């Protein structure tokens, strides 16, 4: 399969998972308010859809900034380690890493369904917090910078590192062990620097 087709498929999956969430929210609100006045039902749907739009905008902005950061980290890393590549291949790496969004959003839907929560934007945000590493590690007695790093980390970021390692191996044609090492030393280092920056900002202005 051509790389272009794979990229289109990945973007379609990302779009599809958010459309599925939109459908599930709309269906839940319609079912919940099916016996109320149509004006009340429409108001509830519109309010929920507005919240979901904000959720989509936040995700779009975050993914855009993340992609730019990843592009810079990979470019600098490949130049430093003297690995010949191209703009197109780096773009392919970034698009492949978007599969982490699909997995993350699917897990959010799964968490909501397994817990029998109401399917709303609020539930999506709550389920997303469940994927935060701080929920599974006792951080009360840890030093501030580790605590902040854990509260800022979720499953999606680890998935990105794994997917980057796989895609560097497949696209750049580098052995697996070196590919994962490069992923850690490029994008992984970028995440670490972001944590340090966030910690400094939190300690000075928080």
């Amino acid at each position: 399969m051509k790389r272009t087709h794979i990229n289109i498929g990945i973007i379609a999956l990302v779009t599809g998972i958010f459309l599925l969430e939109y459908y599930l929210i709309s269906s839940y609100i319609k079912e919940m308010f099916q016996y109320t006045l149509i004006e009340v039902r429409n108001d509830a749907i519109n309010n929920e859809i507005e919240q979901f739009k904000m959720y989509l905008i936040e995700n779009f902005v975050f993914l855009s900034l993340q992609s730019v950061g990843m592009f810079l980290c990979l470019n600098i890393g490949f130049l430093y380690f003297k690995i010949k590549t191209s703009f197109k291949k780096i773009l392919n790496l970034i698009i492949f890493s978007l599969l982490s969004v699909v997995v993350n959003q699917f897990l959010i839907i799964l968490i909501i369904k397994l817990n029998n929560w109401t399917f709303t934007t609020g539930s999506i945000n709550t389920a997303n917090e469940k994927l935060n590493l701080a929920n599974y590690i006792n951080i009360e007695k840890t030093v501030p910078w580790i605590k902040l790093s854990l509260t800022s980390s979720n499953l999606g970021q680890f998935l990105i590192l794994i997917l980057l390692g796989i895609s560097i191996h497949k696209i750049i044609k580098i052995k697996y062990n070196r590919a994962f090492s490069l992923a850690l030393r490029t994008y992984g280092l970028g995440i670490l620097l972001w944590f340090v920056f966030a910690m400094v900002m939190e300690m000075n202005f928080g």
Side-chain angles (χ1 to χ4, degrees):
M1 186 182 293
K2 289 184 178 181
R3 180 55 54 181
T4 303
H5 295 155
I6 294 173
N7 290 345
I8 292 171
I10 291 171
I11 293 171
L13 283 173
V14 173
T15 305
I17 197 72
F18 284 114
L19 286 175
L20 176 60
E21 288 178 339
Y22 176 87
Y23 169 77
L24 290 170
I25 288 174
S26 300
S27 298
Y28 169 75
I29 297 297
K30 286 178 182 178
E31 184 179 350
M32 185 178 179
F33 290 90
Q34 62 180 321
Y35 300 115
T36 61
L37 294 172
I38 189 169
E39 292 84 1
V40 175
R41 183 169 68 249
N42 288 339
D43 283 342
I45 291 172
N46 290 334
N47 288 335
E48 193 60 45
I49 295 307
E50 282 301 315
Q51 291 182 47
F52 187 70
K53 283 181 181 177
M54 289 303 300
Y55 173 76
L56 284 179
I57 291 171
E58 289 172 4
N59 272 275
F60 177 77
V61 171
F62 175 77
L63 288 173
S64 299
L65 292 174
Q66 179 179 268
S67 297
V68 171
M70 193 182 301
F71 178 80
L72 292 173
C73 288
L74 290 172
N75 261 302
I76 294 169
F78 288 157
L79 284 172
Y80 180 79
F81 294 112
K82 298 179 180 178
I83 295 172
K84 293 182 179 180
T85 186
S86 63
F87 172 83
K88 186 177 180 181
K89 286 184 177 180
I90 292 177
L91 187 62
N92 288 336
L93 295 177
I94 294 170
I95 293 175
F96 189 80
S97 72
L98 290 177
L99 283 173
S100 64
V101 177
V102 179
V103 175
N104 195 71
Q105 295 301 317
F106 177 78
L107 288 174
I108 286 172
I109 295 172
L110 193 62
I111 288 170
I112 294 173
K113 291 295 185 181
L114 290 176
N115 287 281
N116 292 317
W117 293 345
T118 56
F119 210 102
T120 61
T121 307
S123 298
I124 290 174
N125 289 325
T126 302
N128 192 37
E129 290 173 4
K130 291 281 186 183
L131 299 175
N132 196 299
L133 289 181
N135 292 317
Y136 306 99
I137 300 172
N138 186 3
I139 62 172
E140 295 304 320
K141 297 180 180 180
T142 57
V143 294
W145 72 272
I146 294 179
K147 184 176 181 178
L148 182 62
S149 297
L150 289 172
T151 54
S152 303
S153 303
N154 58 33
L155 180 64
Q157 288 163 338
F158 285 93
L159 282 172
I160 288 173
L161 286 172
I162 293 170
L163 290 169
L164 267 181
I166 294 171
S167 58
I168 289 172
H169 167 72
K170 295 289 186 181
I171 297 171
I172 311 296
K173 307 300 181 184
I174 295 174
K175 291 182 179 179
Y176 266 119
N177 56 348
R178 194 183 179 200
F180 280 101
S181 176
L182 280 168
L184 284 171
R185 288 188 286 176
T186 52
Y187 183 67
L189 181 60
I191 293 175
L192 181 61
L193 291 174
W194 170 253
F195 285 157
V196 172
F197 172 75
M199 180 191 68
V200 171
M201 295 297 290
E202 178 71 19
M203 292 178 69
N204 284 283
F205 303 104

